[in-house]
Amino acid sequence: NFGILANSKYAYTIGTSSAFYIELSVNAADVGGLDPFLVGFRKNAANNGTYTAYTDFASIGARATTAADVVVISTDLNNAGEVYTNTTDAWTDGQTKTFKVLVSAAGVVTYTINGAAPTATAAFTFDAGDVVVPFIHHVFGATTPGAINWVSLKIGYQ
């Protein structure tokens, strides 16, 4: 938990804070068993075990029910409903992927996978004044993903 208080070290205010990011390198023994595994930013709110309960978020990772063994982008703006984008970029079992979610000072979100833009992406912009915090969410699907190893984690200003 990186803090849910507006004055947390890892709380960023859209339109006030400089551009920021989260970067996580991770591998999973069975990517198809991740349902979901997401890393990104969400609007500041009390912690919730169900990420879809957050009103605003932008994240990247895996969601087997959207597309097994493929990187997926997941977003929700103003509680309008989750949108899942299949990037078509494969995530092979046991392979380490580095996911980066970048947010501009104006709230525009972009993503990278191993330093490159996804093949297919999703346009997303947080609202001005929103306070957002980093989050990582992972749940086992019907298939157990085996070992999930976080290799490195970085959070900060761009």
Side-chain angles (χ1 to χ4, degrees):
N1 186 343
F2 300 102
I4 58 169
L5 303 175
N7 61 355
S8 166
K9 177 180 177 179
Y10 298 110
Y12 303 96
T13 303
I14 305 303
T16 302
S17 298
S18 298
F20 52 94
Y21 75 98
I22 183 171
E23 179 183 273
L24 177 68
S25 292
V26 62
N27 65 50
D30 184 354
V31 177
L34 298 172
D35 200 19
F37 180 92
L38 300 170
V39 57
F41 289 93
R42 63 173 176 82
K43 189 172 180 180
N44 188 36
N47 288 327
N48 195 311
T50 305
Y51 75 97
T52 57
Y54 298 121
T55 61
D56 301 76
F57 60 85
S59 58
I60 190 168
R63 184 172 184 262
T65 52
T66 298
D69 302 324
V70 175
V71 177
V72 172
I73 294 170
S74 177
T75 60
D76 190 353
L77 183 63
N78 298 324
N79 213 26
E82 303 83 47
V83 176
Y84 299 98
T85 303
N86 179 342
T87 67
T88 71
D89 296 301
W91 186 2
T92 306
D93 293 348
Q95 181 184 48
T96 297
K97 288 286 187 185
T98 300
F99 299 115
K100 193 170 190 176
V101 179
L102 302 105
V103 183
S104 75
V108 178
V109 179
T110 55
Y111 312 87
T112 66
I113 306 165
N114 294 341
T119 302
T121 193
F124 187 87
T125 303
F126 284 107
D127 294 329
D130 280 356
V131 176
V132 298
V133 295
F135 81 102
I136 300 167
H137 181 87
H138 64 96
V139 176
F140 291 1
T143 302
T144 302
I148 301 170
N149 299 299
W150 294 10
V151 179
S152 71
L153 173 65
K154 299 175 187 176
I155 303 169
Y157 291 105
Q158 298 180 38

